[in-house]
Amino acid sequence: MTARYLIGRLGFFIAIVWATATLNFAIPRLAPGDPIEDTVARLTVAGQSTEGADKLIAAYRAELGLDDPLVVQYFSYLKAIFTLDLGYSAALFPVRVSTLISDALPWSIGLLTLSTLLAFVIGSLLGALMVWPKTPRVARLALSPFMILSAVPYYLLAIILSFVVAFKLNLLPPTGGTSPGITPAWTFESIVDIVKHATLPALSIILSAIGFWMLGMRGMMVTTVGSDHMLLAEAKGLRPRTLFWRHGIRTAILPQITALTLALGEVVSGAVLVEVIFGYPGIGGLFYQAIRSNDFPLIQGISIVLAISIAFAILVLDLLYPLIDPRISYRRR
Amino acid sequence: MTTPAADRRTRVAGLLPGLRLLTVRPTLVLGLAFLLLPLVAAAILRHRLGAGAIELGAYPFNLRPSDAHVLGTDGYGRDVLAMLAYGLWPTLQVGLVAGATASAIGTFLGLLSGYARGWVDWLVRGLADVLLGIPVLPILVVVAAFLGSVSVASLGIVIGLVAWPFTTRVIRAQVLSLRDAPYIEIARLSGARRSGILVFELLPNLLPYVMAGFVGAVSGAILASVGLQILGLGSFGLPTLGLMLDSAYQGGALSRGLWWWFVPPAGLLVLIFVGLFLISLAVDEFANPRLRKRAT
């Protein structure tokens, strides 16, 4: 991989984070009025405690320099983002936004990475199998419903699963990350509890996402299976399994990975809603709380963190891509 | 030399495959049925039940489904069936407005970027890629949180403004592959204006992709707007399916077993999404002939 490619990808990463930060900066200020006074006013109207209101306003004025010209504000905002200083939470003053986010982040990362990875791997495999001529028709028919399921957004599945499995059948806990009274620790009992609570949220994501990846992979495999290099490989007399894995999947998986980078934003957004429905203490749950309590600094902080995480994940995938696709490195010679 | 009349006929003929699509593909018909039948039913129900049925406290709270209220009443005393009937169209409207906006911008920029190449292409692509990287939901949340109550049209346009990059990518890719085709070459050599080439030669051949992009955009927009509404934002002052889910969740419908409050809107939403999905499958098959069922 060349330095040029690396710099290009890094450039994108920075551009995306900058664009999100700028949007987060601009939107509240487009609304008329002072953003902080506005926040406090909304909190008051909503009947929430504004005890620290004066201190809050004073702290923000000092930090944001709301009396400075817009340009100065903008640059000090960018600098704050750069140092990951996301300010104070308005509703839970004086807790800082970064504290809240760093508490919630591990839950979400665990849930999301696992669910997405599982769905991607299983979905791609199933999608490839659906196109492969050697798969029995029965299996293909059995797998089709998954693709229909992909149309259903995660949160709808979450509601249905939550109602059916948790409330009606009482098989798994309906909300929360852990049962009350159990603190997350590395004990067996604690881990089992966490897994039980994470199962339904994970399933909501996995069941819908599998169909999505199946469809994509199916499309890629159709093109690959009909291509000339597959014909040659078959003519060479290679075993079906070799054909499937080394020639079929390896070729088709590349655009799938590109699709993964494009879909990441959507996946994370969907996961946010799933967490809300299950009261899962991840970023999604925090986000919902922030919205309910009109905690604008927290809302903005989470947006930035989400943007950075997604952009970073895309960066990692983009950097992995040339390693998987030999054509790119050959061309460089 | 062809006469202007024959010329026009040839152009129109290019559009006919789109019409034939309707009769040939069962997935398309099924998908359209999933969308149109509820709309028709909703219109009839609105006429029969009247706007009074969705006012707060119109009926006793939380009634189970019965003969008087086929789907019961919700926690605010509104008839659930009436809520469905009144909420369906605004939910779809947002999708349509957003889809139209995203398709219009996306097709325009895709055509421009794919055909012009050079710095225009670089600029549009860069913009599209960056926009694709920005997570949509948080941005929409920030916008919705600060704007408060919005209208259907403005929410649709806002969503469309963040959704156009997908369409642009697809259109651009197609334009890139088409722009060196012989008939484009001939048009160029015969002195046709660039805008003329774009509109009359390229666009008709792009219609399948524009349609596919439109359906995708509508689906994504409804997804986003319902997601916003479940979070409690993006309200129009009208009932929508997403808001029904939100109020059901807030009212503890899940734990109180008031299934008729949230199962109907969830079910209707599933129907809509599956319908849109089937339509997009059909349009995708139309655009990408390799996906069509081979004679086995």
Side-chain angles (χ1 to χ4, degrees), chain B residues 43-87:
Chain B
I44 298 178
L45 282 170
R46 281 201 297 272
H47 187 70
R48 294 236 339 247
L49 294 172
I54 59 168
E55 294 201 9
L56 298 173
Y59 306 104
F61 302 158
N62 298 326
L63 289 179
R64 295 188 144 267
S66 61
D67 287 328
H69 299 280
V70 181
L71 286 174
T73 60
D74 68 17
Y76 296 104
R78 301 175 290 198
D79 182 276
V80 172
L81 188 62
M83 291 286 284
L84 284 184
Y86 276 95

Side-chain angles (χ1 to χ4, degrees), chain A residues 20-276:
Chain A
T20 314
T22 308
L23 274 176
N24 264 309
F25 176 82
I27 294 176
R29 282 167 181 74
L30 283 177
D34 183 321
I36 288 306
E37 301 250 3
D38 197 47
T39 306
V40 174
R42 281 182 212 237
L43 285 177
T44 319
V45 165
Q48 283 165 280
S49 96
T50 45
E51 276 174 20
D54 296 330
K55 287 191 229 126
L56 171 66
I57 297 181
Y60 260 102
R61 282 231 119 89
E63 264 193 50
L64 295 179
L66 285 174
D67 304 314
D68 296 332
L70 216 59
V71 183
V72 177
Q73 280 188 47
Y74 183 52
F75 280 105
S76 56
Y77 175 76
L78 284 183
K79 189 175 125 229
I81 301 287
F82 197 66
T83 54
L84 285 183
D85 169 23
L86 297 164
Y88 296 100
S89 153
L92 296 173
F93 192 80
V95 181
R96 293 197 76 95
V97 168
S98 20
T99 319
L100 291 169
I101 293 185
S102 53
D103 283 338
L105 208 50
W107 293 97
S108 287
I109 292 185
L111 178 67
L112 199 59
T113 344
L114 206 67
S115 314
T116 311
L117 267 175
L118 271 177
F120 183 72
V121 170
I122 299 180
S124 297
L125 204 62
L126 290 180
L129 282 174
M130 291 224 27
V131 175
W132 194 241
K134 306 250 181 331
T135 323
R137 269 206 100 181
V138 157
R140 274 190 235 182
L141 281 174
L143 292 176
S144 298
F146 270 115
M147 300 202 295
I148 306 277
L149 216 55
S150 79
V152 180
Y154 304 163
Y155 49 82
L156 281 185
L157 263 184
I159 292 180
I160 297 174
L161 278 178
S162 166
F163 182 64
V164 170
V165 177
F167 284 106
K168 278 292 177 190
L169 301 177
N170 266 315
L171 280 178
L172 291 166
T175 50
T178 52
S179 303
I182 300 190
T183 41
W186 288 108
T187 64
F188 183 66
E189 179 191 287
S190 169
I191 293 183
V192 166
D193 187 58
I194 293 181
V195 168
K196 269 207 308 186
H197 282 269
T199 310
L200 281 184
L203 268 181
S204 312
I205 299 179
I206 293 178
L207 286 178
S208 175
I210 280 188
F212 181 66
W213 299 122
M214 271 178 72
L215 269 181
M217 195 60 171
R218 175 176 162 257
M220 303 305 160
M221 278 300 270
V222 164
T223 318
T224 309
V225 163
S227 66
D228 289 340
H229 85 272
M230 278 297 276
L231 197 59
L232 177 63
E234 211 178 320
K236 279 204 299 190
L238 292 175
R239 285 180 305 159
R241 196 173 297 178
T242 317
L243 281 174
F244 183 65
W245 286 101
R246 284 197 60 189
H247 295 271
I249 290 214
R250 257 191 88 177
T251 320
I253 202 82
L254 295 168
Q256 269 289 76
I257 297 188
T258 313
L260 178 64
T261 60
L262 291 177
L264 260 184
E266 199 196 310
V267 168
V268 170
S269 307
V272 162
L273 290 167
V274 166
E275 286 188 15
V276 168

Side-chain angles (χ1 to χ4, degrees), chain A residues 12 15-16 19-20 23-24 27-28 31 35 38-39 42 131 140 147-156 159-160 162-163 167-168 175 215 218-219 222-223 225 258 261-263 265-266 269-270 272-273 275-279 284 287-288 291-292 294 296 299-300 302-303 306-307 310-311 314, chain B residues 64 125-127 129-139 141-148 162 166 169 219 222-233 245-246 249-250 253-259 262-263 265-267 269-270 273-275 277-278 281 285 288 290-291 293-294 296:
Chain A
F12 257 130
I16 291 176
T20 314
L23 274 176
N24 264 309
I27 294 176
D38 197 47
T39 306
R42 281 182 212 237
V131 175
R140 274 190 235 182
M147 300 202 295
I148 306 277
L149 216 55
S150 79
V152 180
Y154 304 163
Y155 49 82
L156 281 185
I159 292 180
I160 297 174
S162 166
F163 182 64
F167 284 106
K168 278 292 177 190
T175 50
L215 269 181
R218 175 176 162 257
V222 164
T223 318
V225 163
T258 313
T261 60
L262 291 177
E266 199 196 310
S269 307
V272 162
L273 290 167
E275 286 188 15
V276 168
I277 294 179
F278 284 107
F287 206 29
Y288 187 54
I291 296 173
R292 283 281 153 208
N294 284 310
F296 291 107
I299 294 180
Q300 292 175 285
I302 295 182
S303 301
L306 280 178
I310 295 176
I314 294 181
Chain B
R64 295 188 144 267
R125 267 193 73 196
L127 198 63
D129 283 346
V130 170
L131 266 183
L132 276 177
I134 301 179
V136 172
L137 193 67
I139 294 293
V141 165
V142 173
V143 171
F146 279 97
L147 288 183
V162 275
F166 276 112
R169 260 187 181 241
S219 185
I222 298 185
L223 200 95
S225 65
V226 171
L228 276 181
Q229 283 155 7
I230 290 187
L231 290 174
L233 301 164
L245 286 174
D246 177 51
Y249 186 70
Q250 293 284 300
L254 286 175
S255 51
R256 288 158 73 187
L258 306 171
W259 59 267
F262 65 90
V263 171
L269 277 171
V270 170
F273 281 120
V274 173
F277 178 69
L278 289 174
L281 269 187
E285 274 180 15
N288 182 357
R290 283 214 199 99
L291 283 178
K293 291 197 178 49
R294 293 160 296 182
T296 22

